[in-house]
Amino acid sequence: MKLSTVEPVKKKVGLALSGGGFRAALFHVGLLAQLAEFRKLKEIDTISTVSGGSIVGMIYYLHLKKWLESNDRPIQDEDYLGIVQAVENDLLNIVQKGFRTFGFRGLHKLYTMTGDELSEKLDEVFKSILNEKHHLSLNDLKIEPLYGQNKPPKIIVNTTSLNNGELWLFTSEENSQIKEYLNEIAKVEGHHNDESHCLSGFTVGKAVAASAAVPAFIKPVSIKKDSLDIQLVDGGILDNLGTNSLLNEGCNHLIISDGSKYLEAKPKPSNFLINVIVRTQNIFINAIVRSNLNNIDIDQEHIDMRYALPRYTRANKELGEVNHGVDIKVQHYLSNMRTDLDSFSEVEAKSLMLLGYKFGLAEFSDMDFLRNLNRMKLSPDQDWQFKSMKPRFQNPDEDYLKELKVGKYSLFRRFRKRFAKLD
């Protein structure tokens, strides 16, 4: 018998952390916890992040960088648990303060903040993780493991260029679009470009801020040099899942953590200008999400916070199916939570994490049973902070449901809660 000489296709795993403000970022933490427990984080080759997903994705990546560059031994499954616990703690601290504050600084500033304001806040977070004195530049992103056999993932931060309407990517390995930008400068100024100098002047916080700069709420992030002016906004405008970047990297297995906005049906939509803009943007992003998912024909695990909710269907899921033991009202209110970077209460934050954790458990339990009967879940009793919400999550009382319901609003939540009526 003649043996085949065809090389087996190497598995390349990509993790997509979608946009959706702090709502999505918190959901992703629960999913990261399950990835750690199911021993899957060490398999990740590339992480693609968008908007809120870029915030939590970068926090995770920097904690991993800190570990890999400080330990001269193979990284173990238990080490990943500790890294995700650090991410959980960081994000809980961040969201209870929030990045965006509302105030009467002039009506035009009631909702908006600048990309520079956001990037400054993010830079402080990122440099504190690595205990650096200065803000991290893109040059500082690449991981150089102390133990050579440890393989770090690549991270891609997705943004959208207003100049040409295409994705603009910042990565931990190469930044080809910045090279092209510098080549344009060289043509204009007639001198050799200096990529390292440009990268050192562009901070990690600025890249993530660009990814999270939702139009009409956060002003674009600029890359300026003489006559050139690149304006960057939320990567979710073109791809709120971040899957296109993973496919372009050659990933043939995707893990998609999807905290995209739940498009709730409205019998009478508001015609107030800002509400129309937001609603239109949500419709547009949801349409792109559905289109991107339909075009993915490779192995994937899609953990979707809107799973089986009324008026939202997926081709391979039946409407009305039991949602993995999650109370339908709890899931509905959490999936309809505001897409914002302002403060989130402890109840909101831990509930969103727990939702990602429970949905991740359902997805990975099924897939691991089918693919690897010998695989055992690591530390099923891991002491995550968000598990403190489990009793209220499983048996929601009226006060808890009201707090989740008014979470879709950016303003006057305490006042709204007093008069809220449950569906």
Side-chain angles (χ1 to χ4, degrees):
M1 180 183 294
K2 186 176 181 180
L3 296 177
S4 173
T5 58
V6 177
E7 292 268 348
V9 177
K10 184 180 178 182
K11 184 177 180 181
K12 186 172 184 180
V13 182
L15 171 63
L17 301 178
S18 79
F22 280 155
R23 179 196 67 244
L26 292 161
F27 180 79
H28 298 329
V29 171
L31 186 278
L32 287 171
Q34 284 294 358
L35 285 169
E37 290 188 8
F38 273 94
R39 308 170 191 261
K40 288 178 176 284
L41 282 175
K42 62 185 176 184
E43 300 175 2
I44 304 299
D45 295 288
T46 309
I47 305 170
S48 178
T49 68
V50 185
S51 194
S54 293
I55 295 173
V56 69
M58 188 58 69
I59 292 173
Y60 166 74
Y61 180 86
L62 292 178
H63 275 293
L64 179 61
K65 175 183 172 72
K66 183 178 181 179
W67 195 99
L68 291 175
E69 294 182 345
S70 304
N71 291 274
D72 190 16
R73 64 173 175 82
I75 187 168
Q76 304 296 320
D77 295 317
E78 290 79 7
D79 298 317
Y80 283 106
L81 289 173
I83 290 169
V84 177
Q85 280 186 313
V87 175
E88 177 194 34
N89 186 64
D90 283 351
L91 199 60
L92 283 173
N93 289 333
I94 289 169
V95 300
Q96 289 182 42
K97 297 175 183 176
F99 285 142
R100 207 156 67 80
T101 56
F102 299 99
F104 293 96
R105 300 179 293 166
L107 289 178
H108 67 293
K109 291 186 177 181
L110 179 60
Y111 280 90
T112 62
M113 69 183 300
T114 67
D116 288 338
E117 289 173 329
L118 178 57
S119 65
E120 183 65 30
K121 295 176 186 290
L122 288 166
D123 276 322
E124 289 298 318
V125 170
F126 297 150
K127 80 174 186 180
S128 68
I129 292 174
L130 298 182
N131 298 316
E132 294 285 348
K133 294 182 179 180
H134 305 289
H135 292 168
L136 304 175
S137 76
L138 292 178
N139 281 337
D140 300 318
L141 264 187
K142 190 171 183 179
I143 297 176
E144 303 289 349
L146 191 58
Y147 182 78
Q149 299 303 310
N150 287 328
K151 189 186 76 168
K154 175 180 180 179
I155 190 168
I156 301 173
V157 177
N158 293 264
T159 76
T160 301
S161 169
L162 292 180
N163 299 64
N164 60 11
E166 296 180 359
L167 281 174
W168 179 290
L169 310 178
F170 295 99
T171 82
S172 55
E173 295 185 4
E174 76 285 332
N175 289 274
S176 57
Q177 285 166 305
I178 288 183
K179 290 180 182 178
E180 293 173 8
Y181 166 77
L182 289 168
N183 286 333
E184 289 298 318
I185 293 176
K187 291 178 183 177
V188 173
E189 299 181 354
H191 61 70
H192 181 68
N193 67 49
D194 183 358
E195 181 187 357
S196 62
H197 175 73
C198 178
L199 294 181
S200 65
F202 199 91
T203 67
V204 175
K206 200 165 187 178
V208 175
S211 181
V214 180
F217 290 94
I218 300 174
K219 293 183 179 178
V221 169
S222 299
I223 304 177
K224 293 183 179 180
K225 179 70 174 180
D226 298 329
S227 60
L228 296 174
D229 185 357
I230 308 298
Q231 297 284 328
L232 303 175
V233 296
D234 187 354
I237 298 299
L238 291 177
D239 180 10
N240 201 49
L241 298 180
T243 52
N244 286 330
S245 295
L246 295 177
L247 295 175
N248 289 336
E249 286 288 310
C251 293
N252 50 24
H253 181 103
L254 303 186
I255 300 173
I256 306 168
S257 184
D258 187 356
S260 302
K261 180 70 176 177
Y262 169 48
L263 192 62
E264 185 180 26
K266 292 181 178 293
K268 189 178 180 181
S270 169
N271 61 4
F272 186 58
L273 180 59
I274 189 66
N275 291 339
V276 172
I277 293 173
V278 172
R279 179 71 173 174
T280 303
Q281 181 173 291
N282 288 334
I283 292 172
F284 178 71
I285 290 176
N286 267 266
I288 291 179
V289 166
R290 290 195 299 272
S291 176
N292 286 352
L293 287 172
N294 290 335
N295 290 330
I296 296 174
D297 58 359
I298 61 174
D299 204 9
Q300 63 169 295
E301 291 157 291
H302 182 205
I303 298 86
D304 182 3
M305 76 157 45
R306 303 156 300 178
Y307 165 74
L309 282 175
R311 307 187 184 92
Y312 179 84
T313 60
R314 285 173 55 195
N316 61 335
K317 302 293 183 184
E318 291 296 325
L319 200 62
E321 188 176 332
V322 176
N323 294 3
H324 310 314
V326 179
D327 182 277
I328 190 68
K329 285 187 178 180
V330 171
Q331 185 197 359
H332 174 85
Y333 295 146
L334 288 174
S335 300
N336 203 31
M337 196 74 69
R338 60 196 177 280
T339 303
D340 212 335
L341 298 180
D342 73 334
S343 61
F344 275 55
S345 71
E346 182 180 0
V347 169
E348 293 173 329
K350 290 184 177 179
S351 295
L352 283 162
M353 288 180 175
L354 189 54
L355 184 67
Y357 184 80
K358 288 182 75 69
F359 277 22
L361 173 63
E363 182 75 19
F364 298 144
S365 294
D366 290 344
M367 299 306 289
D368 273 353
F369 177 75
L370 293 172
R371 294 177 183 163
N372 190 348
L373 296 177
N374 296 320
R375 184 173 223 163
M376 297 297 292
K377 191 168 185 283
L378 178 70
S379 301
D381 297 321
Q382 185 70 23
D383 188 23
W384 303 105
Q385 293 182 60
F386 57 76
K387 283 188 176 181
S388 65
M389 203 55 55
K390 211 170 182 179
R392 300 186 74 184
F393 195 85
Q394 292 178 334
N395 299 291
D397 54 41
E398 184 175 331
D399 185 71
Y400 176 66
L401 289 173
K402 283 184 177 181
E403 181 165 353
L404 297 186
K405 180 175 183 177
V406 301
K408 64 182 178 181
Y409 300 106
S410 293
L411 298 172
F412 312 122
R413 287 187 295 277
R414 288 185 181 180
F415 175 79
R416 293 176 188 273
K417 182 180 174 182
R418 291 180 60 188
F419 301 96
K421 293 182 180 180
L422 298 177
D423 299 335

